């Protein structure tokens, strides 16, 4: 492992992307692997052939619930653990959970294993996007890195499906235990390599460990500490930290109850954290998980014959994963907001067409058209909303609260996944095609939400994003504007000051003026 310790520059960052991608691929694999064996006879025999109608649902949902609870439960500790430490904890828990599940001989043991893996995925899903964003040394690194992450995440789902599809042809206990144990490979490889990698420079600085932060910066850039690029980035990080500490004093928990609408803090911290919750929540409302989790159900309802449903479901999962690929090449060119907005508009249009086709008495060509619409919808979803949401939320969280932003993003993801996956079969059984009106509304809400509340973050350093959301009158690094009270600094007084000292004074005075105004 000495090679990993000595890696520097772009080679180090490429390895970080691959390791994080493996962790997210396990996330996708684990989400899909149990669904392929739930009705497999050897599996049911092993857990005592449960007959209660809620037993299978409890086995499946325990994973989502554990991930949902974990994302909030660990948030007070993840800042101390670090981005790297949280990922390591997640991989360790994943191995334990996989072993418990793969050796299960009862419903209780299986649920216990699902809870462990849910805990693992809660840690990984909240920390990996932040780790990738904070270790990207170039402004254009964050988009492709998180897009690559999304590709591997969704690729884990069809991988699980096809591994299940192959193994369930055999009538043995190994036919379901091997696919479940297989996820250990992802966890051991990802965690084993992560052990030898550094945490992010920004986390080291925020924790008061500048020597380690400097060392991580030098490794990631392959430049000496004295290089102007490193010195400039360090100054911007410390300026942002100072501004966030000043803004922290004005935070009130009641602002979260209004989703940040009443947020009057200089850097709009509450509003940004609320966006981190609602954006992934709305993503699930648009129908992505509902169509993925119940692919066989929705395909059957759309008109696919029973003999083709399993094959078409596998193809559908591959199309969803393929949709994530274009994001890698377009996210920096088009920008996050543009992709989210136009993706939501196209998805709304497609869902409206699908709704109309479901409402009328379809002929065979219309049934195939409905299936084609679902596939196009999922392809667009993969491109526009799957990876872009993780990326956007990992960027807009302030440094001191970025761990909480990651947790609340994952919490919004898992809470909405649990809710919407639970209600889809109930809705389809009771109100038939009218349920898709609810999904259409989710897509329209996505359009409105992005248009009014999500400014563009592409082409900006992480520290510059603070100032996109900042209240008018708050100073941005390098700006030559007036302070919050309209006064300008006297040029004579600033003679002999370093650039960092000037910026720090601007931030302090702007924050002090804001306190007086409040």
């Amino acid at each position: 492992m000495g090679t990993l310790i000595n890696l520097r520059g772009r080679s180090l960052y490429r390895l970080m992307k691959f390791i994080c991608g493996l962790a997210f691929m396990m996330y996708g694999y684990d989400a899909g692997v149990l669904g392929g064996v739930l009705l497999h006879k050897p599996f049911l025999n092993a857990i005592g052939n449960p007959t209660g109608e809620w037993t299978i649902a409890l086995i499946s949902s325990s994973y989502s619930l554990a991930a949902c609870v974990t994302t909030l439960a660990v948030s007070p500790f993840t800042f101390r653990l670090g981005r790297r430490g949280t990922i390591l904890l997640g991989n360790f828990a994943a191995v334990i959970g996989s072993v418990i599940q793969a050796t299960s001989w009862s419903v209780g043991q299986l649920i216990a294993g699902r809870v462990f893996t849910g805990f693992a995925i809660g840690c990984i899903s909240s920390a990996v996007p932040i780790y990738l964003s904070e270790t990207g040394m170039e402004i254009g690194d964050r988009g492709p890195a998180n897009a690559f992450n999304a590709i591997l995440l969704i690729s884990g789902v069809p991988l699980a499906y096809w591994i299940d599809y192959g193994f369930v042809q055999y009538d043995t206990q190994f036919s379901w235990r091997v696919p479940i144990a297989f996820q250990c490979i992802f966890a051991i490889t990802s965690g084993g390599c992560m052990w030898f990698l550094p945490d992010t420079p920004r986390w080291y600085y925020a924790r008061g460990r500048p020597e380690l932060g400097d060392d991580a910066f030098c490794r990631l850039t392959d430049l000496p500490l004295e290089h102007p690029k490193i010195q400039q980035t360090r100054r911007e990080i410390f300026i942002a930290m100072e501004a966030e500490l000043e803004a922290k004093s004005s935070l009130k928990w009641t602002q979260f109850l209004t989703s940040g609408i009443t947020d009057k803090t200089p850097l709009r911290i509450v509003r940004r954290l609320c966006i981190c919750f609602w954006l992934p929540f709305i993503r699930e409302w648009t129908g992505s998980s509902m169509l993925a989790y119940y692919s066989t159900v929705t395909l059957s309802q759309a008109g696919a014959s029973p003999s083709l449903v399993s094959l078409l479901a596998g193809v559908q999962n591959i199309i969803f994963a393929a949709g994530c690929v274009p994001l890698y090449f377009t996210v920096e060119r088009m920008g996050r907001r543009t992709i989210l907005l136009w993706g939501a508009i196209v998805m709304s249009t497609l869902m409206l067409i699908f709704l109309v086709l479901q409402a009328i008495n379809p002929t065979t060509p219309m049934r195939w058209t409905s299936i084609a619409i679902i596939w196009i919808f999922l392809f667009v979803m993969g491109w526009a909303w799957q990876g872009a949401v993780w990326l956007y939320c990992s960027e807009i969280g302030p440094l001191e609260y970025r761990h909480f932003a990651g947790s609340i993003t994952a919490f919004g993801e898992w809470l909405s996944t649990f809710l919407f996956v639970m209600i889809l079969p109930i809705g389809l059984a009771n109100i038939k095609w009218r349920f898709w009106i609810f999904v259409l509304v989710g897509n329209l809400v996505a359009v409105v939400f992005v248009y009014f509340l999500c400014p563009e973050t592409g082409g900006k350093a992480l520290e510059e994003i603070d100032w996109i959301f900042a209240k008018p009158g708050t100073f941005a690094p390098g700006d030559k504007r007036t302070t919050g009270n309209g006064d300008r600094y006297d040029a004579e007084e600033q003679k002999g000051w370093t650039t960092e000292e000037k910026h720090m004074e601007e931030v302090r005075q702007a924050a002090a003026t804001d306190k007086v105004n409040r």
Side-chain angles (χ1 to χ4, degrees):
M1 290 295 180
T3 304
L4 299 182
I5 298 175
N6 296 324
L7 275 178
R8 302 176 67 86
R10 303 308 292 176
S11 296
L12 175 60
Y13 189 56
R14 281 193 289 268
L15 177 64
M16 288 175 167
K17 288 197 296 184
F18 177 71
I19 295 306
C20 288
L22 276 183
F24 250 46
M25 195 171 197
M26 178 181 67
Y27 168 9
Y29 183 91
D30 196 58
V33 67
L34 195 63
V37 300
L38 278 176
L39 301 179
H40 188 42
K41 187 179 179 185
F43 170 78
L44 294 174
N45 290 337
I47 61 174
N49 291 296
T51 56
E53 59 180 4
W54 290 100
T55 303
I56 297 299
L58 182 60
I59 292 172
S60 300
S61 62
S62 59
Y63 168 79
S64 299
L65 281 176
C68 179
V69 172
T70 296
T71 53
L72 287 187
V74 302
S75 60
F77 312 105
T78 51
F79 189 53
R80 289 195 288 270
L81 284 174
R83 298 27 167 154
R84 169 181 171 272
T86 305
I87 296 170
L88 283 171
L89 177 62
N91 281 305
F92 179 71
V95 173
I96 295 176
S98 300
V99 171
I100 293 174
Q101 288 182 81
T103 58
S104 291
W105 286 99
S106 69
V107 172
Q109 183 180 348
L110 189 63
I111 291 176
R114 294 290 285 173
V115 169
F116 261 98
T117 51
F119 173 87
I121 299 305
C123 292
I124 288 170
S125 60
S126 62
V128 163
I130 296 173
Y131 186 81
L132 285 174
S133 293
E134 288 190 343
T135 51
M137 293 295 100
E138 302 293 336
I139 291 175
D141 283 342
R142 301 192 306 268
N146 278 277
F148 177 72
N149 220 36
I151 293 169
L152 292 186
L153 164 62
I154 304 302
S155 296
V157 178
L159 176 64
Y161 179 89
W162 289 112
I163 287 179
D164 282 345
Y165 187 79
F167 271 91
V168 296
Q169 308 304 317
Y170 301 95
D171 193 23
T172 67
Q173 285 295 312
F174 287 105
S175 63
W176 69 271
R177 297 184 189 274
V178 172
I180 289 178
F182 185 80
Q183 58 196 299
C184 286
I185 295 176
F186 300 112
I188 292 172
T189 305
S190 176
C193 292
M194 183 62 72
W195 182 264
F196 298 95
L197 300 181
D199 213 312
T200 75
R202 291 170 172 87
W203 179 79
Y204 285 129
Y205 291 143
R207 291 292 292 163
R209 302 164 73 179
E211 298 84 3
L212 291 175
D214 292 343
D215 180 66
F217 249 130
C218 293
R219 284 189 64 186
L220 284 163
T221 58
D222 199 17
L223 295 171
L225 181 61
E226 298 76 18
H227 194 278
K229 179 180 179 180
I230 293 182
Q231 291 300 313
Q232 176 65 23
T233 305
R234 288 180 81 254
R235 283 195 293 270
E236 291 174 354
I237 291 172
F238 286 120
I239 291 166
M241 288 168 56
E242 179 76 15
E244 289 169 12
L245 288 174
E246 294 284 356
K248 185 177 181 179
S249 62
S250 61
L251 291 179
K252 296 179 181 178
W253 70 268
T254 53
Q255 295 168 338
F256 285 95
L257 300 179
T258 59
S259 296
I261 295 174
T262 60
D263 185 3
K264 304 299 182 183
T265 58
L267 300 180
R268 314 287 195 200
I269 293 174
V270 175
R271 181 175 299 178
R272 292 152 70 181
L273 294 176
C274 288
I275 290 173
C276 287
F277 171 81
W278 284 112
L279 205 58
F281 190 96
I282 292 170
R283 174 178 62 190
E284 300 310 314
W285 189 1
T286 61
S288 59
S289 286
M290 289 183 276
L291 289 170
Y293 272 70
Y294 294 105
S295 55
T296 56
V297 175
T298 53
L299 286 169
S300 296
Q301 190 190 53
S305 63
S307 60
L308 284 176
V309 163
S310 294
L311 178 61
L312 292 178
V315 174
Q316 178 171 299
N317 288 329
I318 293 174
I319 290 172
F320 193 12
C324 298
V325 176
L327 181 67
Y328 186 91
F329 303 99
T330 59
V331 65
E332 294 298 337
R333 295 179 183 178
M334 296 180 63
R336 291 80 160 125
R337 182 179 186 274
T338 300
I339 290 175
L340 287 168
L341 181 60
W342 283 104
I345 291 172
V346 174
M347 286 155 52
S348 298
T349 304
L350 291 169
M351 186 53 63
L352 177 61
I353 297 172
F354 178 75
L355 174 63
V356 172
L357 290 174
Q358 293 299 296
I360 62 179
N361 187 19
T363 60
T364 299
M366 287 184 180
R367 292 191 183 100
W368 282 106
T369 303
S370 296
I371 294 172
I373 292 295
I374 290 176
W375 289 358
I376 297 171
F377 177 91
L378 286 173
F379 186 90
V380 176
M381 161 64 72
W383 167 66
W385 275 71
Q386 191 59 44
V389 168
W390 289 110
L391 169 62
Y392 192 84
C393 293
S394 71
E395 292 178 327
I396 66 172
L399 177 57
E400 290 286 337
Y401 295 90
R402 202 164 286 147
H403 64 290
F404 186 60
S407 295
I408 205 170
T409 299
F411 176 69
E413 165 88 6
W414 286 109
L415 177 63
S416 55
T417 298
F418 172 72
L419 292 175
F420 296 132
V421 168
M422 284 290 288
I423 67 173
L424 181 132
I426 299 172
L428 292 180
N430 288 278
I431 59 175
K432 308 298 181 184
W433 61 269
R434 295 175 184 83
F435 178 80
W436 297 108
I437 298 175
F438 171 76
V439 179
L440 174 61
V441 171
N443 285 271
L444 296 174
V445 169
V447 175
V448 175
F449 188 90
V450 173
Y451 184 82
F452 287 104
L453 295 174
C454 298
E456 180 58 64
T457 58
K460 303 287 185 182
L462 283 176
E463 286 64 47
E464 292 179 290
I465 293 172
D466 274 342
W467 312 103
I468 296 175
F469 288 90
K471 186 171 69 174
T474 305
F475 265 92
D479 278 0
K480 297 180 179 179
R481 297 180 293 180
T482 58
T483 61
N485 61 1
D487 296 331
R488 284 189 176 277
Y489 291 108
D490 191 303
E492 291 299 319
E493 291 182 6
Q494 294 185 7
K495 285 184 177 179
W497 286 16
T498 65
T499 303
E500 183 174 351
E501 289 171 333
K502 293 177 184 179
H503 289 337
M504 284 294 193
E505 185 62 24
E506 290 175 348
V507 170
R508 290 190 188 100
Q509 292 200 21
T513 301
D514 183 75
K515 289 179 183 178
V516 171
N517 291 338
R518 289 196 304 272

